[in-house]
Amino acid sequence: MGNRGMEDLIPLVNKLQDAFSGIGQSCNLDLPQIAVVGGQSAGKSSVLENFVGRDFLPRGSGIVTRRPLVLQLISANAEWAEFLHCKGKKFTDFDEVRQEIEAETDRITGANKGISPVPINLRVYSPHVLNLTLIDLPGITKVPVGDQPVDIEQQIRDMIMQFICRESCLILAVTPANSDLANSDALKLAKDVDPQGQRTIGVITKLDLMDEGTDAREVLENKLLPLRRGYIGVVNRSQKDIDGKKDIKMAMAAERKFFLTHPAYRHMAEKMGTPCLQKVLNQQLTNHIRDTLPAFRSKLQTQLLSLDKEAEEYRGYRPDDPGRKTKQLLQMVQQFSVDFEKRIEGSGDQVDTVELSGGAKINRIFHERFPFELVKMECDDKEMRREISYAIKNIHGIRTGLFTPDMAFEAIVKKQIVKIKEPCIKCVDMVIQELINTVRQCTNKLDCFPRLREETERIVTSHIRDRESRAKDQVLLLIDVQLSYINTNHEDFIGFANAQQSSKQSSKQSNAVIRKGWLTINNISIIKGGAKEYWFVLTAESLSWFKDDEEKEKKYMLPLDNLKVRDVEKGFMSSKHAFAIFNTEQRNVYKDNRFLELACDTQDEVDSWRASLLRAGVYPERSSNDNFSMDPQLERKVETIRNLVDSYMAIVNKCIRDLMPKTIMHLMISNVKDFINAELLAQLYSAGDQGALMDESQEQVQRRDEVLRTHQSLKEALAIIGDISTTTISTPMPPPVNDWLYIIWPYLHPPRSPPTSPTGSRRMSSGQRPSPGGGRGAPPPPNRPGPLGPFNNSADSPQVPSRPNRAPPSIPR
């Protein structure tokens, strides 16, 4: 019955598997198991039935095992079986077990040879079994049949790999004796995931079906393709025996007789057969479980600690308790208020590193987006001058005026002030949208109470919309206040005395940086490298570009005198948007180029750069059909009023940029925070039934049950591990075998004269040993490269014989 103490150890692992079977992937631990791998009709199912001593697995031609079967064998006084999907139902008739496996397989895969990776869990209690846990996997097939997809071979290989690639999984590689071992699918897959052979156990079936005169002695002695854990031979019932209802006990007795009487195997009969395989598997599984337990316990403890706090909150939870609902409602509203304030005011915890949100985004709206909208609103120079000239002419009427009329200045200024309304209203809309987004983000924590989340969003959003109209009215009032009185005595207003200076000269009094950013110069010849990206710096006097944003290596500085901007059509093959800068006096702008074509990734960036150039005095190109002539006197008046308008609008824009954030902050953001703190709870109470507000979602109920179940299962698992006896005996890994032994072994032992089969055919191993001179029947040395390549060590290593007095014959070249 295996080694002492294992009867207590392996059942504990079966209990662990049961503890986790009901909680799915939340405890994804690699429990020690043995996976049975082999080709179709290799005898995998027969080996498993021999373990149980009953006929219970589906049989037939082609692919029969179409879903993984997790088989737990448990030693007990009585004999019965049970399925995990049929809890509480005991199967004493093993024909019904076969029928249930077939029905459950067809339920998932259909009845036409389809496959599925979803396992079937079967537990068999019997006094005739040892404690083993095995996984029977579908046999590897080459050609699809029925409903099987064209890549059926790859799908089965992937399914097998999911189990055997785990370091905690032992591999039972089943290979029929009447096939070439070098072409074994099972050994090939085992070598892929276990190249050292440390967790692979070889099983050779159908030894009684080999051609007459051939045997598998070389394989079973672990000399042909050595495995560190070695090979074990078994003899299963033939199809004729199965059809004739031959008892498995009789089959086991026949197997025992076969090994005792066969001349090639009788010297190792005690190490062959199904009983020996059961003992070896149980010993290996016991060793493996003991090796795995320390890391296993660590994983369980880590998961348990991560769930302790949440499980403590759920323990003793009564969903229908009115007091609990009231307390939880207060906590949820308070948490919502804290989260909203943190998102607006900023906080060091739960920092979003992906994008701006909440207060940071509103700050960007105030100080980047809104000023940008004001700059975009500014009209071009030609349109402004035309409006001023028309205003002057209409004021003078039929007469020719001698002085510059201040009424023209006031009319143009008021028209410009009215245009500010649009960006101001747009700013309010952007802030409102961000507030609503922030509310939705904060209510994510209320997902477990759908009605509460819905009502909270509705109440707060309704309040924000109510404050929206008041904020917009106040913003429009600010504009109307500016329209009501044009204060020409403002300290920053230049006045008529200084109005003769040009707007460009006035703007260039400061050399402050207006904008920085990356731009691509498109019109660089291909010979010189083609389009290149540079770091551009725009001031009131020049446009400079550098190799990188550290601004250490300046490539060029372009003065802004006599420069204008014009549009450039987007190229057919280009993904960028472009504009061009040119000189009005037809001079070269950059080296030999009459214009400088610059490109950005988006049209918004192009508009932003054009607005920045406008602030620096670089205006858009004037169309030829827009030219109109003015007499010198009118031109001087237009220039004077133009400078006055620029000066006064700078004062208005400065005032509006200062007042807009303050107005929105006072009337909307601060008010919404106060509303959430002071009135939200009262509004929720007045909205309807408080009990209905705190009704949990189905997902939350499932989450609570899952957490409590997982937490309890983890505690039970740790308690089970704690009950393991420290006196359990482990069987050591077979020692490594020196490679040279297999090279000189044939020369230390003269070959026998093997019989030849009637057909002259030779199977996986004929038992022949090569003569010193070599020969066609000689097997390759163990470490000779081959389709599989040798595993490093042998589990059943032969003893090195005493060295003869004479030197061994030389190895032929």
Side-chain angles (χ1 to χ4, degrees), residues 492-734:
D492 294 333
F493 187 58
I494 63 173
F496 279 87
N498 299 320
Q500 299 300 322
Q501 298 180 8
S502 67
S503 59
K504 184 182 295 187
Q505 291 173 340
S506 175
S507 65
K508 290 184 180 179
Q509 289 176 357
S510 172
N511 197 31
V513 174
I514 297 175
R515 186 183 178 91
K516 293 182 178 183
W518 291 98
L519 286 173
T520 301
I521 300 180
N522 277 349
N523 56 330
I524 299 178
S525 65
I526 298 178
I527 299 176
K528 297 182 179 180
K532 290 184 180 180
E533 194 175 34
Y534 294 100
W535 178 258
F536 279 74
V537 177
L538 174 65
T539 68
E541 294 182 350
S542 64
L543 179 66
S544 305
W545 54 92
F546 301 80
K547 186 176 180 180
D548 52 44
D549 55 3
E550 294 182 0
E551 300 180 16
K552 293 182 179 179
E553 184 180 345
K554 181 182 288 188
K555 305 296 291 186
Y556 199 82
M557 185 179 75
L558 178 65
L560 300 184
D561 296 323
N562 301 318
L563 294 184
K564 289 202 179 249
V565 179
R566 70 183 177 203
D567 294 327
V568 175
E569 291 186 3
K570 184 179 176 181
F572 177 72
M573 299 295 292
S574 175
S575 61
K576 291 181 176 289
H577 301 262
F579 62 96
I581 298 175
F582 68 97
N583 192 294
T584 57
E585 297 180 355
Q586 302 299 316
R587 296 179 180 176
N588 291 341
V589 175
Y590 172 57
K591 297 185 178 179
D592 297 333
N593 300 300
R594 287 295 182 92
F595 63 92
L596 182 65
E597 184 176 324
L598 303 174
C600 307
D601 290 331
T602 64
Q603 186 60 42
D604 286 342
E605 291 185 65
V606 171
D607 295 340
S608 177
W609 273 101
R610 288 170 64 94
S612 299
L613 288 167
L614 189 65
R615 290 173 56 191
V618 180
Y619 296 98
E621 179 183 18
R622 179 187 299 175
S623 301
S624 58
N625 56 1
D626 290 335
N627 292 333
F628 61 95
S629 59
M630 289 188 292
D631 61 81
Q633 183 180 4
L634 179 60
E635 191 169 351
R636 285 194 297 272
K637 294 177 182 179
V638 169
E639 186 69 21
T640 299
I641 293 180
R642 175 73 174 86
N643 294 336
L644 292 171
V645 171
D646 283 348
S647 175
Y648 195 80
M649 286 308 299
I651 296 171
V652 173
N653 287 340
K654 182 179 180 181
C655 181
I656 293 298
R657 284 200 301 267
D658 179 63
L659 289 176
M660 276 292 294
K662 295 177 180 178
T663 302
I664 295 175
M665 193 70 191
H666 174 69
L667 293 178
M668 292 192 61
I669 300 175
S670 297
N671 183 274
V672 170
K673 287 196 299 182
D674 294 340
F675 173 80
I676 292 174
N677 287 327
E679 300 184 35
L680 175 59
L681 185 60
Q683 296 256 6
L684 287 171
Y685 272 112
S686 63
D689 183 11
Q690 291 78 41
L693 283 177
M694 300 307 295
D695 286 342
E696 291 181 305
S697 65
Q698 189 62 32
E699 292 78 9
Q700 175 64 14
V701 174
Q702 294 175 355
R703 168 66 182 170
R704 183 175 66 252
D705 293 343
E706 180 183 353
V707 168
L708 292 175
R709 189 170 64 252
T710 303
H711 190 267
Q712 183 62 28
S713 297
L714 290 169
K715 290 178 66 177
E716 291 176 1
L718 285 170
I720 291 170
I721 293 176
D723 292 339
I724 294 178
S725 172
T726 57
T727 61
T728 303
I729 300 173
S730 296
T731 304
M733 174 77 74

Side-chain angles (χ1 to χ4, degrees), residues 41 80 118 126 191 280 316 327 392 413 492 512 619 643 693 713:
S41 302
W80 77 92
V118 180
S126 173
K191 181 182 182 298
V280 170
K327 179 181 178 182
I392 292 173
V413 163
D492 294 333
Y619 296 98
N643 294 336
L693 283 177
S713 297

